[in-house]
Amino acid sequence: MPIGPRRSALTVTVVGLLASLGLARPARAQLTGTAGTTGTTAPATLADGDIFIGVQQQEGSNLAAFDLARFFNKANCDCDTPVFIFYALTASGFAKRSLVTTGTVTFWVGSGCQAFGLAQQEDCRLLASEPIATFMALGSDTIPTTARIMSTDTTINTTVAADGGIISSNPLGVFTPTPDCTSQTNGFTQTVYANFDYGSNGTVDYSASQAVLVDLTPPPAPTGVTIAPGNEAITVRWTSVDYTVNMDLQGYQILCQRGGGLQVFADGTFTPYVKSCDKSRTAPGPAGLDPLFVCSPLLNRSDTAYRVKILQNGIYYGATVVAIDNSGNASPADVQFAQPAKTDSFWDVYKNGNLTNGGVGQTATPGAATGGFCAVGGEGRLGRWGAGAAATALVAAVLFRARRRRRR
């Protein structure tokens, strides 16, 4: 059964006023229209610019172009996030509402749906339909759907032979949302339509459409990831992804956990650019790409290291670095562990006789540090007072020779 429309609470007058003031703007690309050639012609017909189409996550609020270009990602597909398609008359369309009154309008999502009336097509899904007179009188419609339906890839499925030649090329088949929210295409365009059939004879006389970007493919993961302990810190290093080849790369972000899956920083410490969904996480933590475990700001595409600070010595921390594309998709996480530890200063080394980390499990010999002039002050063969006497004698000898030179 097609999903039915939801009426906006706005009156026709308010809708027309908003459109005339320019408050209802296309969320991404300009609307495109297609005029039919065999349909019944109304006394006045709709044209490009008469219909506005917006995409909403919260009913009543259209996504801005920047947000819409990043909305249809794997996380929203996994969660089957509710989406609303908003159709409304603009100022020019509002002026024709009493003139265009016959026929049927159908609302579709898919590819190449501008010629379809009420007949179901394998590359398109019918979301709703109603009399044109109803739509024109009310001035707008809000059609509910989901991010998974919007993320259905209906592009051509091509099989390529080992020598690079094409074996076959055929449509994917019936419009059925993929169960695992994956796509054979690294980013594709999905389109929503409003098709107007003035004669209700199955032939489209005018079609308004809006294209949106769908990106379900994560970027390549950084390689050579290592984690080194420090004093109240761990340092994550990696080999960056070649962003001159992988242009869809926003940057990197560090995810970490304390011990067995505990959150390290309070909510809101860092802005999460990683997008994921509860339904797709196997467990909380870095491996599950849980944004609550983000431990860094968004790092540059050219960065190759980051130091996570304000940690506790003696506690194991797990951490990973993920590449993030412009839609918030994150590369797979390879979690590694390290234990921050106090870094010994020279005095610690001198005092503990070259033992590190406080000499746990070792026998310290105070003053036994070796190397450089710094070890001269140690308690060696001369002892503390013997070393002092030798230094005094050396100074006296230098002064004596200086005085003899002056007398000459």
Side-chain angles (χ1 to χ4, degrees), residues 91-102:
S92 58
F94 182 78
K96 299 176 182 178
R97 69 187 188 91
S98 62
L99 302 176
V100 183
T101 58
T102 61

Side-chain angles (χ1 to χ4, degrees), residues 26 28-32 209-211:
R28 192 168 183 268
Q30 292 292 327
L31 295 178
T32 58
S209 61
Q210 171 69 69

Side-chain angles (χ1 to χ4, degrees), residues 224-227 234 317-320 334-338:
V225 180
T226 61
I227 301 178
I234 55 176
Y317 290 85
T320 187
D334 178 17
V335 180
Q336 300 183 40
F337 291 83

Side-chain angles (χ1 to χ4, degrees), residues 187-223:
F188 62 93
T189 298
Q190 189 66 281
T191 309
V192 290
Y193 302 83
N195 294 342
F196 291 82
D197 175 6
Y198 298 138
S200 296
N201 58 1
T203 301
V204 176
D205 297 285
Y206 173 73
S207 176
S209 61
Q210 171 69 69
V212 297
L213 176 67
V214 179
D215 184 1
L216 307 176
T217 307
T223 59

Side-chain angles (χ1 to χ4, degrees), residues 9 39 46 53 67-68 94 120 132 182 194 197 207 217 224 227 235 250 265 294 344-345 350 353 372 391 398 407-408:
L46 295 171
I53 303 177
D67 298 319
L68 181 59
F94 182 78
Q120 187 73 40
I132 289 178
T182 60
D197 175 6
S207 176
T217 307
I227 301 178
T235 299
Q250 187 175 187
F265 297 103
V294 167
D344 289 332
S345 64
Y350 169 75
V398 172
R407 290 175 182 174
R408 292 178 183 176

Side-chain angles (χ1 to χ4, degrees), residues 4-7 103-107 118 128-136 138 140-141 143 195 200:
R6 294 190 182 180
R7 297 299 179 193
T104 304
V105 56
T106 53
F107 305 99
L118 288 172
S129 65
E130 64 186 20
I132 289 178
T134 303
F135 175 79
M136 298 298 287
L138 293 171
S140 68
D141 261 347
I143 312 297
N195 294 342
S200 296

